[in-house]
Amino acid sequence: MRTLVLVGHGSHTSGDFAGPTYRFAEALRERGAFGEVVEAFWKEDPALRRVLRTTASTHVTVIPLFASEGYLTETVIPRELGLGHQGPVPDHGVARVLGGRTVRYTRPYGVHPAMTDVILARAAEVLPQTEWASAALVVLGSGGAAPHSGDRVTEAHAARLRERGLFQEVHALSADALSTDEWPQVVQARKVVLVPFSGQAVPLPASPESARQVYRAEPAGTHPGVVDVLLRLAGEAADTEQTGGDLDRAHQAAWAAALELTRQPARIGEVLVTPQGRLLELRHALDEGLPGTELQTLVTPEGLRDHLRVDQRGQHRPVRTYRTLRRGWRGVIHESEWRRVLHDLYPAVTEEAYAHGCYTLRPTPWPTTARRQTGRDARVQRATPDLVERVSREVCAPCMKTRLWAGEKLPLTFLDGVPGAMPCAEACTVLIARVREELPSPGGAAEETGATVQDR
Ligand code: SF4
């Protein structure tokens, strides 16, 4: 058995950014090439920092679901995983043994040469191949690069496409180029196929000339063919002598304890779980006793997960252990789906609660967390203990977890029958972002409260 971890950016304020990661993870599960496929995010739960603890096997491949290399793939993700690697990732990935697991970290999917074929597949959806020879193909990179050029990744794909000679012209442009009147000077052909590389929306080109026919394709980054690229990346990073992963014993023991809880009606966090033969019924504990006909019934792990990622008012829940679980639903699942559903409800808490009970969960004090931060988050290293405590009391107030990292004690956990008792071994990214917002930026005043575009 091997585990594949897909890492997305996620967001503190919107659930939309996690959508592609969940969709590709589901497609990979259907292919069945891995014993398990796990999602993780930098800016929301399930948190990247804790994901390795949640994997069932001791052979783990981690793929960043990003279109290009950069600060996140070369600094943040390796740092949060504890890989001890910084900088460009080689073609064959980075391999480390961490806590008894062999972890292989790959380059992001966008840089793989197979993405060139995905761009062509998108182009074929809007213009038949028979017309390509008289058309221009424009690969649109992220905004921010000089409008007349693409970024490094789209330039590389455009170069490969030029070599193939299928189109009259091939260009890599910034998506911003479409809102200027420069692009018609760069692109000569009368037929133009625009293929956005990642998932960004493509604006209408500025001043489209009547003599031009512009065909807008869907983004390459959302094409189902990306799943094949992910499988190739994982395959190239794999150790050829590997005979298959072993099961992680602590993980198995933790989940055996969690399954044992469901042998009789039990409360876990805000959820009431009731066994019905081999099925489990889940609902908000405050909906106990309501007839099932008054509740919305959800019967798949994906349906439950998506329903419960937002609160009663439809607001995104970046921290799943906040006491903001919506009411009015009931989930009916097979007990074999329990692990996945509980992980979606309260990511990593089962493994951490079990480790806490065995005295193997080591809290990370705030100063260590702060020292690890880089980029604009490095500012939190200047936060005083009083400031961290003040912000934490506000941020952590709605959270069920007990702050072990701040010295709080947790004698028992939900695995011992105390429903809301869950350990927090390290400050989460929501708290880190809020502490940073309280500190003056190098330019002057403290940031406004609320996530910035960069932080989402
Ligand atoms: S830092 Fe606070 S809000 Fe974040 S997970 Fe821990 S207890 Fe919850």
Side-chain angles (χ1 to χ4, degrees):
M1 174 173 173
R2 285 167 58 206
T3 297
L4 177 68
V5 178
L6 274 192
V7 180
H9 188 290
S11 163
H12 290 164
T13 56
S14 166
D16 296 344
F17 295 101
T21 308
Y22 282 120
R23 282 196 295 279
F24 283 124
E26 276 156 31
L28 285 160
R29 278 184 203 110
E30 280 168 19
R31 296 284 188 97
F34 290 85
E36 68 173 356
V37 180
V38 179
E39 306 91 347
F41 301 96
W42 183 33
K43 291 288 184 180
E44 65 181 82
D45 280 337
L48 173 60
R49 181 74 181 151
R50 301 193 300 273
V51 71
L52 291 180
R53 191 182 279 278
T54 72
T55 62
S57 90
T58 52
H59 287 287
V60 182
T61 303
V62 183
I63 302 180
L65 200 61
F66 288 78
S68 60
E69 293 162 317
Y71 173 62
L72 289 173
T73 63
E74 296 179 354
T75 301
V76 173
I77 299 173
R79 181 194 78 203
E80 295 298 288
L81 291 173
L83 289 181
H85 172 90
Q86 269 209 345
V89 176
D91 288 350
H92 55 276
V94 171
R96 295 280 187 277
V97 176
L98 300 171
R101 288 175 171 80
T102 303
V103 180
R104 292 179 173 83
Y105 177 63
T106 76
R107 302 173 79 194
Y109 79 91
V111 304
H112 196 283
M115 278 303 292
T116 304
D117 293 324
V118 178
I119 295 169
L120 283 179
R122 278 301 192 208
E125 290 173 351
V126 293
L127 187 69
Q129 198 166 346
T130 49
E131 298 185 40
W132 286 2
S134 60
L137 174 62
V138 178
V139 185
L140 294 167
S142 53
H148 54 278
S149 68
D151 51 48
R152 207 158 30 118
V153 176
T154 49
E155 289 283 4
H157 290 300
R160 269 191 291 274
L161 288 162
R162 260 179 232 118
E163 277 173 21
R164 295 197 195 176
L166 295 167
F167 285 85
Q168 179 182 324
E169 308 161 39
V170 179
H171 302 276
L173 296 179
S174 156
D176 294 343
L178 299 185
S179 54
T180 73
D181 53 11
E182 284 179 36
W183 75 271
Q185 296 161 26
V186 178
V187 182
Q188 304 299 319
R190 297 167 87 116
K191 287 181 196 156
V192 183
V193 180
L194 303 176
V195 181
F197 188 59
S198 56
Q200 81 270 39
V202 181
L204 269 176
S207 314
E209 305 151 53
S210 55
R212 290 230 206 211
Q213 292 170 274
V214 178
Y215 303 87
R216 288 187 299 171
E218 292 293 310
T222 59
H223 191 278
V226 171
V227 174
D228 296 303
V229 178
L230 296 170
L231 289 171
R232 284 184 64 172
L233 260 175
E236 289 159 13
D239 180 349
T240 49
E241 291 179 13
Q242 180 184 310
T243 54
D246 304 319
L247 295 178
D248 180 74
R249 282 207 200 130
H251 179 96
Q252 298 303 310
W255 282 99
L259 187 60
E260 197 55 37
L261 281 180
T262 67
R263 300 299 178 212
Q264 52 194 0
R267 233 191 95 182
I268 299 171
E270 294 181 281
V271 178
L272 180 68
V273 186
T274 310
Q276 298 176 346
R278 303 295 300 275
L279 298 179
L280 299 174
E281 197 228 41
L282 285 70
R283 59 172 69 190
H284 197 295
L286 297 178
D287 289 337
E288 183 176 10
L290 283 184
T293 49
E294 289 185 21
L295 303 171
Q296 180 180 353
T297 300
L298 302 155
V299 294
T300 63
E302 296 82 16
L304 267 169
R305 178 197 67 209
D306 292 342
H307 193 69
L308 301 177
R309 283 173 62 210
V310 296
D311 65 14
Q312 202 74 31
R313 293 173 300 144
Q315 298 290 311
H316 177 48
R317 300 172 67 230
V319 180
R320 303 277 172 83
T321 42
Y322 271 10
R323 289 183 207 84
T324 53
L325 195 71
R326 66 197 293 183
R327 295 181 55 184
W329 56 274
R330 69 190 272 268
V332 182
I333 57 162
H334 191 267
E335 65 175 21
S336 61
E337 297 169 317
W338 172 234
R339 179 174 155 242
R340 196 158 150 219
V341 168
L342 182 53
H343 175 72
D344 285 336
L345 273 168
Y346 298 124
V349 298
T350 302
E351 295 85 352
E352 293 195 335
Y354 184 81
H356 181 64
C358 301
Y359 306 99
T360 57
L361 183 68
R362 291 193 182 78
T364 304
W366 170 265
T368 307
T369 301
R371 269 199 303 277
R372 207 181 67 241
Q373 304 308 309
T374 52
R376 57 209 299 262
D377 285 340
R379 201 152 83 225
V380 301
Q381 292 161 15
R382 302 204 311 264
T384 63
D386 284 352
L387 174 68
V388 175
E389 182 61 19
R390 175 170 62 77
V391 176
S392 168
R393 289 215 172 274
E394 184 196 327
V395 171
C396 303
C399 189
M400 277 181 284
K401 287 187 172 178
T402 299
R403 301 175 309 151
L404 303 184
W405 58 266
E408 292 178 352
K409 302 290 178 220
L410 183 69
L412 299 171
T413 72
F414 73 95
L415 291 175
D416 306 303
V418 184
M422 300 172 181
C424 178
E426 182 167 6
C428 65
T429 62
V430 172
L431 177 57
I432 293 167
R434 287 292 302 279
V435 170
R436 187 194 71 222
E437 288 163 1
E438 293 286 323
L439 294 161
S441 63
E447 288 173 35
E448 288 177 23
T449 300
T452 62
V453 171
Q454 189 175 339
D455 265 354
R456 291 193 292 230

